[in-house]
Amino acid sequence: MKTRTLIAALACTAAFQAPVAHAADDPGVLIACGTTAEDRVTSRGDALVRSQSWLDAQVPYSQQACHENEYGSYRTDCSGYVSMAWGLTHSRTTATLRDVATEIPRADLRPGDALLASYHAALFVRWADEAQSEPVVREQTGPDGAPPVERKWTAQTASAYTPIRYYRVTEG
């Protein structure tokens, strides 16, 4: 129980776009969300449709819960949200999303890519400005019970994140 309490206390949150550390342990070990046989090949459009499903359902944030819909069952935190959007076999953590993605130049960000830090992950939707410094993202943020949001990040916030691309994304 102490581990669950620690995980909940260290939940990834960007409600105020402030860094919060993740627990070193993978919460997926404690939370038995469903899995699929293999990571999906996912188009950029599919990733946006899948991510919109949680916005529409107002899925509440929690590192101790799963949400199941037509796209599978995933942990309802930031990395679980990106895992669901990409169609991964299971909910990854901010530390393990890199295992299925590659770092890309910021200028190459496209819808369905992600912005990642050790404490948070968000799905890239589009640029809000011509200078490509302020991304619009979709993210599952805390505190517990808060629904996912789509919002514009400041250039300063975005600069703290590494752009990554899912290894099985297609342009279709």
Side-chain angles (χ1 to χ4, degrees):
M1 191 59 155
K2 285 183 181 180
T3 303
R4 275 195 183 190
T5 303
L6 174 62
I7 290 167
L10 297 176
C12 65
T13 180
F16 301 103
Q17 297 182 351
V20 175
H22 269 260
D25 297 330
D26 182 349
V29 173
L30 298 175
I31 309 302
C33 298
T35 60
T36 58
E38 66 178 317
D39 293 336
R40 283 178 55 95
V41 173
T42 302
S43 73
R44 295 183 179 287
D46 286 345
L48 294 180
V49 166
R50 291 167 70 94
S51 68
Q52 184 66 46
S53 73
W54 279 24
L55 289 170
D56 293 344
Q58 295 289 283
V59 174
Y61 177 92
S62 174
Q63 280 195 326
Q64 298 182 33
C66 300
H67 177 73
E68 185 170 358
N69 65 10
E70 66 270 29
Y71 303 118
S73 179
Y74 293 89
R75 195 178 55 252
T76 60
D77 63 4
C78 63
S79 52
Y81 182 67
V82 172
S83 298
M84 179 275 303
W86 285 353
L88 303 183
T89 59
H90 64 281
S91 297
R92 297 228 172 220
T93 66
T94 55
T96 63
L97 277 171
R98 289 182 183 277
D99 295 345
V100 295
T102 186
E103 188 173 329
I104 60 171
R106 191 167 304 278
D108 287 348
L109 273 167
R110 294 185 208 138
D113 290 334
L115 291 161
L116 180 68
S118 62
Y119 48 85
H120 189 58
L123 193 70
F124 178 80
V125 177
R126 67 184 175 280
W127 291 109
D129 62 332
E130 286 187 33
Q132 296 187 335
S133 63
E134 297 179 329
V136 173
V137 299
R138 291 180 181 165
E139 56 188 331
Q140 182 77 45
T141 65
D144 279 356
V149 296
E150 179 176 306
R151 66 175 160 190
K152 179 182 80 160
W153 280 359
T154 66
Q156 181 179 5
T157 297
S159 70
Y161 289 78
T162 301
I164 61 171
R165 178 164 295 146
Y166 174 48
Y167 80 114
R168 297 193 80 184
V169 69
T170 63
E171 299 301 321

